[in-house]
Amino acid sequence: MDSGKEVKRRRTSDDSEVLRHGSISPPPKRLASALKQHVGGPNIELNIVDKGKGPETLSRYMANNPSRRAVASPVQLNFIEELPAASNVDAVSLGSILSDPMIKECWLFNYLFDMDFVMKHFDPDTRDTVQVKVIHGSWKREDMNGIGIEEAAKRYANIQIVKAYMPEVYGTHHSKMIVLFRHDDLAQVILLTANFIERDWRMSQAIWKTPLLPLQQQATSPAASFPPLGSGPRFKHDLLAYFRGYGPTKLQDLIAQLLNYDFSEVRGALVASLPGKQTIQSLDPEVDFLRGWPGLKRILGRISSKSATPSDPDQQPRVVAQVSSVAAVGEKWLNTTFIPTLSTSPYTGPKTKDGKEPKISIIFPTTNEIRRSVDGYGSGSSIHMKISTPAQAKQLAVLRPMLCHWAGDQTPSISPASVLGALQSAVSSGQNPVREAGRRRAAPHIKTYARFSDNEMKTIDWAMMTSANLSTQAWGAAPSAGGEVRICSYEIGVVVWPTLWDDDDDAAGGEEGKAVMVPVFKKDTPDQEVGRTSVGWRMPYDLPLVPYRDDEKPWCASEPCSEADWMGRVWPGYGA
């Protein structure tokens, strides 16, 4: 297929996706009418309209209705045209986010931009009137990303550029976020893992969205206590603190606008990084905005104990870090800083002494998994782990016991028949069959971290979606002798846990009534459990996990590959 036809095919598909998922003005009234028809009358409590939650798909609204006791996953996966329909249930496209004609102002934070690709996803009738603010860190004169943004600004009069301050030579502006302001005085914050380039949207990605945020009805009065982590007011506080980290003037207009919005319906704790140094001991652990791994450690340490399964000698929790890049972090940082952070126990009280340390797993694709992905070796240019030098080989030896496959359904020495036989054996022996996420062929640019509370990985204590990969630049170095933590990059993400969805009925139900978070596959909404709230977490990878064999190694983009991918291409090595 020639390039012109390919572009037309993709644009047609994007347009179709917008028609399937895009909002139609005015969204609240149209959705209210649809809901009334669905339930057969006007008496339904339309929280989605009345409280400014805004347009959602009907299925997700009904799933989030507390009377259903099943809550759709707070994180969604991206729509990928090349995957079968069953893998795209409840998935989100960039067009479904940006095509709403109600959008009047759009702030775009990211690392890489193709502004022509981005602009085509806005509604064609309002594309030239939406005020688009682009925040990036490509400040070097020869940086092609920055050059492309500057050239786009000449073609689109409504694009304004903000360059993030980059004080660290090895840092990047890696945060991925959209902030929308609408003509109906609603706003929305969207976190994601994808760059704003076309290739990224053919890889596995995640999206987290706040509800549509209404304007505050009246000025807020000082609260008796500081809002707790996980609450909407605390999320707002930390988000504004993050924006202030860009400097006193860079984002002052954005901050001034968001101050007027009500975040009370938001559930989740912000975890973010800003370049610079932070002395942890000098900060108020209750109020100050902690960056990087110290911020994550505080969040995980404050999660309610009833989010976790009670200590059981037969159960070992497992923390799974699923990333698209592993930098040269070193064994010491892993063992003394980052793994202890991920292992921070949500248990409190006497159970802490009895709780087991979690098993740590890292999901990263092998060369064979990249070779068979939707874009073949092309996907590999976005996925990085260096393993060539002696120092890199030593780090790989440390990581190897933790490494697990992204797809795990086939390796060069394992035939499909032997995989099927292994699955049949597992079923006959009473083991759990494979729970398929439907994303094996979509290479992972997504970054998720989760703590599963049991051996069978049936329940989740906490889960996180973030832009941050496994690196000291993203999460911060170990503390210096003076207690300073140095961070190089901008990153942003969100942590959620089940008790954020507890309500009065759950409290009245006691231990059996508390909310539980469960992994869900090929859909966003879990099956309803009688007598308790079930919160879904949309899985991008299959369970159970498949560990690397001794003769397998992770994909290394800098190494050439002579074996052709499924499209018949070889890989010369990144940058060759």
Side-chain angles (χ1 to χ4, degrees), residues 103-121:
I103 297 172
K104 69 176 180 180
E105 188 174 316
C106 175
W107 294 71
L108 301 171
F109 295 72
N110 221 311
Y111 176 48
L112 297 176
F113 289 83
D114 177 347
M115 289 311 302
D116 292 328
F117 169 73
V118 172
M119 295 301 290
K120 77 175 184 178
H121 289 92

Side-chain angles (χ1 to χ4, degrees), residues 370-381 443 565-567 569:
I370 294 297
R371 187 181 293 124
R372 294 181 294 121
S373 67
V374 165
D375 268 354
Y377 287 134
S379 297
S381 62
D565 64 15
W566 71 271
M567 290 179 277
R569 303 174 302 184

